Amino acid sequence: DLATKEVSEMEGTLSWLAKESQQNGWIYNLKPFTIYHVKCRKTLADLDTGESLRWTNEYMLVDVVERDLHHAGLEQILEGYKEPVEIVESFGRFSLERRFDWFSGHVNWLGRKGIVSLECDEQKVYTVCKALEIFREIYANLEEWDKGFRRFAAEQLTELACAWDELDDFYDKKNKDPITKDSFARRIFFDELQIHPDGSYIAYYDDDSMFFGHIIIIKGHIKDGMES
């Protein structure tokens, strides 16, 4: 704040309007880990929704006044922001990816390498603790969870997969086995799992080309079960 000379460590968001034709640099050509002097307007709306401060402390960017500045207070915050933060568990090592508000890492998923992301608010440490606790519960019964994901996807999507299969002109139908719920469940394989502190999750499975390379997304809640 140039008027008060105060440096706030509260996270926020800069937003502005741009056309598709301005995609190259989105008008202002802002770079990461860089200090700018900007002119902006704070949102007038009361967005006390419990969301991360990054999304509620919002400003509209009006103009970039100066670029590539040096400021001791902001550079100190920047160094802290770039400091790596990790969680090490027996099943994997998770690194904080601040731009996405999650810890992410690779785990051994029944012999396959997969990605697990734990959503968090860095300013509320309990959020990642809750997400990690949920994943520990899943990982302790991983084989059953994997079977459940496969079975649920097969129940929901086998009929659709058969319809897509009829559209596929690239294979010899005479030498191709029909898609059944059992074969569907066997063919798909784990790719990624996202865990949210409120107990919800999103699992991503590879479709083994049954949907021509699309990903299968399974959403649910740790208490309520798989939903869609």
Side-chain angles (χ1 to χ4, degrees):
D1 189 318
L2 296 183
T4 65
K5 306 301 181 185
E6 292 179 340
V7 175
S8 171
E9 293 198 37
M10 181 181 293
E11 280 197 70
T13 305
L14 282 178
S15 304
W16 62 94
L17 296 176
K19 299 178 180 178
E20 289 294 328
S21 60
Q22 298 165 318
Q23 250 188 347
N24 185 19
W26 292 120
I27 304 173
Y28 294 109
N29 292 294
L30 300 181
K31 307 298 181 184
F33 307 124
T34 307
I35 297 172
Y36 296 92
H37 171 195
V38 299
K39 183 179 180 181
C40 54
R41 291 164 50 190
K42 194 175 193 310
T43 179
L44 298 177
D46 180 11
L47 298 177
D48 186 16
T49 60
E51 296 288 338
S52 168
L53 287 174
R54 176 178 299 179
W55 308 114
T56 57
N57 188 37
E58 188 168 12
Y59 294 82
M60 186 180 78
L61 179 58
V62 177
D63 193 17
V64 177
V65 182
E66 293 180 273
R67 296 174 177 270
D68 299 318
L69 300 176
H70 294 282
H71 185 288
L74 292 175
E75 286 170 343
Q76 184 177 357
I77 293 174
L78 179 58
E79 288 306 309
Y81 185 87
K82 292 159 66 174
E83 190 74 25
V85 180
E86 290 189 331
I87 296 173
V88 180
E89 294 279 331
S90 59
F91 44 72
R93 182 187 300 267
F94 301 85
S95 298
L96 177 61
E97 297 183 24
R98 288 182 169 94
R99 63 180 298 188
F100 299 119
D101 285 331
W102 64 37
F103 281 82
S104 182
H106 289 92
V107 300
N108 181 342
W109 188 280
L110 302 175
R112 289 187 57 87
K113 182 182 286 188
I115 299 173
V116 172
S117 300
L118 309 171
E119 186 192 54
C120 67
D121 182 336
E122 191 177 359
Q123 297 181 0
K124 299 176 182 177
V125 178
Y126 67 86
T127 55
V128 70
C129 295
K130 285 186 175 181
L132 182 59
E133 182 181 347
I134 293 166
F135 181 62
R136 286 186 184 131
E137 181 178 336
I138 291 174
Y139 202 77
N141 299 283
L142 191 55
E143 191 168 349
E144 288 304 311
W145 275 92
D146 184 69
K147 287 180 181 177
F149 286 140
R150 293 169 181 274
R151 185 166 54 245
F152 182 81
E155 289 287 342
Q156 299 289 315
L157 296 174
T158 297
E159 184 176 345
L160 184 61
C162 290
W164 280 58
D165 191 48
E166 290 299 318
L167 299 174
D168 186 0
D169 296 325
F170 298 104
Y171 297 97
D172 183 354
K173 296 296 180 185
K174 291 182 293 186
N175 298 324
K176 201 173 176 199
D177 294 330
I179 298 175
T180 65
K181 289 182 180 179
D182 287 342
S183 68
F184 185 106
R186 285 195 306 270
R187 288 177 61 176
I188 65 175
F189 51 89
F190 176 78
D191 188 58
E192 184 175 351
L193 177 67
Q194 294 177 0
I195 304 286
H196 301 270
D198 64 358
S200 60
Y201 57 75
I202 306 175
Y204 299 84
Y205 274 71
D206 189 286
D207 72 335
D208 192 35
S209 297
M210 285 185 287
F211 299 105
F212 306 160
H214 285 73
I215 202 76
I216 294 169
I217 301 173
I218 304 161
K219 296 182 179 181
H221 193 281
I222 193 72
K223 292 182 179 178
D224 302 329
M226 296 167 203
E227 298 167 356
S228 63

